Amino acid sequence: MPPMRLLFISLILLATPALAQKVRLSGKITDPAGEALPFATVYAEGTTRGTTANSEGTYFLDLPAGTYKITYRYVGYVTRTENIILTGQPVVVNVQLRQESLQLNEVTVRADGKYEDPAYAIIRNAIAKRKFHLRQTGNFACEAYVKGLTRMLKAPKKIMGQEVSIPGIDSAGRGILYLSESVSKLYMQKPKVKELMISSKVSGRDNGFSFNHAGGMHEWNFYENVLNTGFNERGFVSPIAQSALLFYEYKLMGTSEESGQRVHKIGVIPRRTTDPVFSGFIYIQEESWRIHAADLLLTRASGIEVLDSLTIHQVYIPVKKDHWMPGTIEFTFRFDVFGFKADGYFIGSMTGYQVNLPFEKGFFSGEVLKVEAESNKKDSAYWQTVRPVPLTVEERTDYTRKDSLQKVWESKPYLDSVDARANRFKPINVITGYSYRNSFRGWSLNFGSLLNNVQFNTVEGLVLETDIGYTRRDKETRRSFSFNNSFRYGFSGRQFYLRSGLRYQYNPVRRASVSLFSGRYISQFNPQEPVSYLVNTAYTLFDRSNYLKLYEKRYVDFTWRQEITNGLQATGMLEFARRVPLFNTTDFSFRRNVDRPFSPNLPLPVQPDSIGMEAHNATTLRLAVRINFRQKYISRPNAKINLDSPYPTLSLHYRRGIPGIFSSVTSYDFLRVGLDKEISLGLAGESRFDISYGTFLTDKHVPLPDYRHFTGNQTIIANGRSDAFFLLPYYDYSTTGNYWEGHYEHHFNGFIFNKVPLLKRLRWQEVAGLHLLRTPQLGTYLEVTAGIDQILRIGKVLRVGRLDFAAAFNGGRRVRTGLLFRMAF
């Protein structure tokens, strides 16, 4: 069956219940004291229809007329089932649930005479059945309603001298920051997923598209060994993972009975609080050993990033005989970052399940989520009929208020008033830079920092550099145009440099742009610019080590970039340049040592025929492609968000020096082929490799700027690039021949340190790497590195700083060692 036909049939099947006349069942779910039970689960037994109460305990469920057994469930409370007859009139049923009454089981005595909590036997049975239930929950189609709310509790009035103004947030820093609803069709055949968002509503933005993601909610599947959800680097160990007994202790809190089914409530207790683990309760059914519900917590101690805490609440419902799926998935969170204090929740209500579907080959593609272009055009009457979770008073108020304020927020007087405050010049702008914007017209004028770009080098002496740029963006099409200028003056060289450029992004979805740059400016001989201007300033002034090697380039270049098709990014560039050598013009440093002169302004050692690098013209063509095979992505009406690929990225780079055109003297052909990939190894951390082979196919005339230079380092400050060496001299091994280059790093993300009592409190992370270079002149050069990452803490969230020890070997002989630091995040 063709994929489109299967999709069409599935949509009809999922929509079939809506074709019959619906009767609304509604009410409120409370405890015996009358307190609301937020996000309780409600479903009709024998069907796949259900809903979730809102945070006030209010629910409604639309069903065809008939007689139903309606089940009300809330974790920690006794499930209640009501026989309800629905005719033509709405029915109101308010329900009270009493707290569960648990029967305590006897403690077991093992063969070795030691006592063991009965929870362990239950957990072992659940682990034994884990793969079976994982397969059961990995193939389905369903309707998914997701509502997300983020509530600001406190916000700073200023950040770095800039006033904080957030629409919808009052003067006390309180209000709803984000409120959105979405309805999707979700299809899954693990690991493949396809989601079609058919309706979207964002408070205060009638033209906005929701960032809700039902497929992302289903990633929280506790039948997986490790939940890789993006909330930390290592993932989180499931309480019923194959290795769970190494990470958790368990306690049977008691056993209850629901509809003839015995359910065990088990306390989940981390063995080590700093492991990436959950705490809380998991409910396991007797005999089937499936998850009945989960009420679990993550905190900063367990490695969650950005948030202070995250609670995951799941309730499974029967969708057919001996087959249960998540009916309600709820996340509640809190965070306090840089003075912004907030809480909120995301609630997912999954209904209309179809399981074990025979998806045709080709039904799934790289597109994991598509937001339909008309999804944000639905009116309030539509939402009244499709919304399964009632709005709370707070949410209704926010919709009403922001809908009325939206026109004000988009009006010229309001935007001008906001800009008037933001456009005020303050003394700190000398350091941070200054921007003048016109939000109504969609343009801004940006002035770079003056103090941040103060430099010193032996070619120019004291240098002042700054930027001025103009940017205009169309709000509807998201196309943008920019005009950027850079200015640079060296007081010793007495030279003023200027470059200007135009850039037009004509297709944001495809990341398609063209640019034209021209000017007279300085360039490093290595276009990857491995030498930091700031670090070179310090080394020149205090150590008399002038690593920065520069030449002057007068040029015009034209560049085109575009994603041709999913996963295929292409770049083309044509440059016409006049390259002029530069020389040292100053001998100044704070360290006056005549026995240590500055080195000449040439990459050393140099080839005999390149000494002095005579001025010359160069016409250069560059072509490059990056291919991400089977790349996953999210399609939005005005954007495409590229995700990961299961395969390494293949990169091809071709560079040609074209002789004769505009008196160009360059004549060579260079080709580079590379593979790079980040690989998650779960609890063991993540690895990244970058390997490449390059060669000059022809090398009739290759001036120094066109050599293949490598990203070396000769300072104590390491380069953060993935293809950088730690101890390789900047230019000693530049080549016009062939070479092999490889970089491998593994971030253990605390896998080792987390088990050392004194170190785990520091939350440092260990890292190790290998870096290889082989050229005909150099032979085999190898660096072995070991380091500690995230050694400094800034505030509650930000951890920075990395310290590495590196040893370099050439031909099997150690040639240098070093201790290096970088400001890694």
Side-chain angles (χ1 to χ4, degrees), residues 38 42 45 86 143 146 207 245 294 310 325 363 385 396 407 466 509 525 590 598 600 607 671 704 726 763 788 796:
V42 183
E45 290 189 9
L86 300 179
E143 298 171 1
V146 178
N207 62 343
L245 295 174
L310 176 67
M325 297 292 293
F363 177 78
T385 60
R396 288 196 301 269
K407 289 184 173 56
T466 192
V509 175
F525 280 90
F590 296 134
F598 284 119
Q607 301 298 323
L671 178 66
L704 274 176
F726 285 70
R763 303 190 67 178
I788 304 172
K796 295 174 63 176

Side-chain angles (χ1 to χ4, degrees), residues 588-644:
F588 176 81
S589 76
F590 296 134
R591 180 179 177 181
R592 307 302 296 174
N593 188 341
V594 294
D595 296 329
R596 189 171 182 176
F598 284 119
S599 61
N601 182 46
L602 277 175
L604 296 175
V606 296
Q607 301 298 323
D609 62 349
S610 298
I611 293 178
M613 195 197 85
E614 294 182 354
H616 63 275
N617 293 344
T619 299
T620 307
L621 172 68
R622 292 183 176 88
L623 301 173
V625 295
R626 283 183 63 84
I627 306 173
N628 291 303
F629 299 96
R630 297 180 63 183
Q631 176 180 268
K632 298 177 184 177
Y633 63 96
I634 295 173
S635 293
R636 299 175 66 83
N638 53 9
K640 177 174 180 280
I641 303 171
N642 291 330
L643 305 175
D644 60 347

Side-chain angles (χ1 to χ4, degrees), residues 272-340:
R272 294 170 296 274
T273 56
T274 52
D275 276 341
V277 291
F278 301 88
S279 61
F281 303 98
I282 190 167
Y283 295 74
I284 303 294
Q285 295 180 7
E286 180 79 19
E287 295 184 354
S288 66
W289 311 115
R290 66 168 55 92
I291 298 173
H292 188 73
D295 192 5
L296 298 168
L297 172 69
L298 292 170
T299 64
R300 285 194 182 279
S302 52
I304 194 167
E305 297 174 354
V306 180
L307 302 177
D308 290 331
S309 65
L310 176 67
T311 301
I312 305 96
H313 175 93
Q314 289 186 355
V315 175
Y316 280 69
I317 60 173
V319 296
K320 61 183 296 188
K321 186 178 180 181
D322 296 327
H323 202 132
W324 292 55
M325 297 292 293
T328 299
I329 305 175
E330 173 207 341
F331 303 95
T332 57
F333 59 87
R334 297 182 67 89
F335 66 84
D336 186 353
V337 180
F338 301 126
F340 291 94

Side-chain angles (χ1 to χ4, degrees), residues 22-289:
K22 296 290 185 69
V23 181
R24 173 156 293 186
L25 169 67
S26 63
K28 188 168 184 176
I29 306 168
T30 61
D31 64 11
E35 295 294 324
L37 297 179
F39 309 121
T41 300
V42 183
Y43 64 90
E45 290 189 9
T47 76
T48 59
R49 314 308 300 178
T51 189
T52 302
N54 65 18
S55 60
E56 297 172 343
T58 303
Y59 76 95
F60 57 67
L61 178 61
D62 294 329
L63 293 167
T67 302
Y68 296 92
K69 285 186 176 182
I70 305 297
T71 298
Y72 299 85
R73 285 180 55 193
Y74 191 77
V75 174
Y77 287 73
V78 176
T79 297
R80 181 170 170 177
T81 300
E82 296 284 340
N83 292 313
I84 296 174
I85 300 174
L86 300 179
T87 54
Q89 298 299 319
V91 176
V92 177
V93 177
N94 296 318
V95 175
Q96 280 191 357
L97 301 182
R98 57 184 174 84
Q99 282 192 312
E100 58 192 358
S101 177
L102 299 174
Q103 303 170 2
L104 296 178
N105 298 46
E106 294 182 359
V107 175
T108 5
V109 180
R110 299 191 318 196
D112 58 6
K114 294 183 179 180
Y115 291 99
E116 181 180 70
D117 193 287
Y120 286 88
I122 297 168
I123 289 295
R124 289 190 189 97
N125 283 323
I127 292 173
K129 292 280 286 186
R130 182 189 63 82
K131 288 184 179 180
F132 171 77
H133 293 305
L134 179 62
R135 288 192 296 269
Q136 272 199 334
T137 57
N139 181 302
F140 66 87
C142 74
E143 298 171 1
Y145 166 83
V146 178
K147 178 167 63 176
L149 180 145
T150 301
R151 184 187 299 106
M152 188 67 71
L153 305 176
K154 181 182 177 182
K157 296 187 180 298
K158 291 185 177 182
I159 294 181
M160 296 184 67
Q162 300 291 327
E163 292 185 5
V164 176
S165 176
I166 307 173
I169 305 302
D170 62 25
S171 58
R174 299 179 63 88
I176 292 182
L177 185 65
Y178 173 82
L179 171 60
S180 178
E181 300 173 273
S182 64
V183 175
S184 300
K185 306 290 186 182
L186 181 62
Y187 306 87
M188 187 170 289
Q189 187 182 58
K190 282 272 187 185
K192 302 170 185 174
V193 63
K194 182 178 204 171
E195 181 178 351
L196 180 65
M197 187 180 293
I198 58 177
S199 51
S200 162
K201 184 175 178 66
V202 181
S203 182
R205 294 176 55 206
D206 60 10
N207 62 343
F209 295 98
S210 175
F211 282 93
N212 298 343
H213 186 10
M217 299 187 103
H218 268 274
E219 290 177 357
W220 293 81
N221 187 338
F222 291 105
Y223 291 119
E224 298 279 2
N225 279 320
V226 177
L227 284 74
N228 293 305
T229 61
F231 276 83
N232 75 343
E233 297 168 322
R234 298 171 61 193
F236 300 100
V237 182
S238 167
I240 59 168
Q242 205 67 35
S243 59
L245 295 174
L246 299 175
F247 293 89
Y248 294 100
E249 294 177 352
Y250 302 93
K251 182 177 181 180
L252 180 60
M253 311 305 295
T255 301
S256 61
E257 190 167 309
E258 294 186 12
S259 303
Q261 174 73 58
R262 285 171 59 82
V263 178
H264 304 288
K265 179 180 180 180
I266 297 175
V268 177
I269 307 154
R271 290 185 180 273
R272 294 170 296 274
T273 56
T274 52
D275 276 341
V277 291
F278 301 88
S279 61
F281 303 98
I282 190 167
Y283 295 74
I284 303 294
Q285 295 180 7
E286 180 79 19
E287 295 184 354
S288 66
W289 311 115

Side-chain angles (χ1 to χ4, degrees), residues 50 136 229 418 507 559 578 715 818:
Q136 272 199 334
T229 61
V418 173
N507 188 336
T559 304
R578 174 71 176 173
T715 73

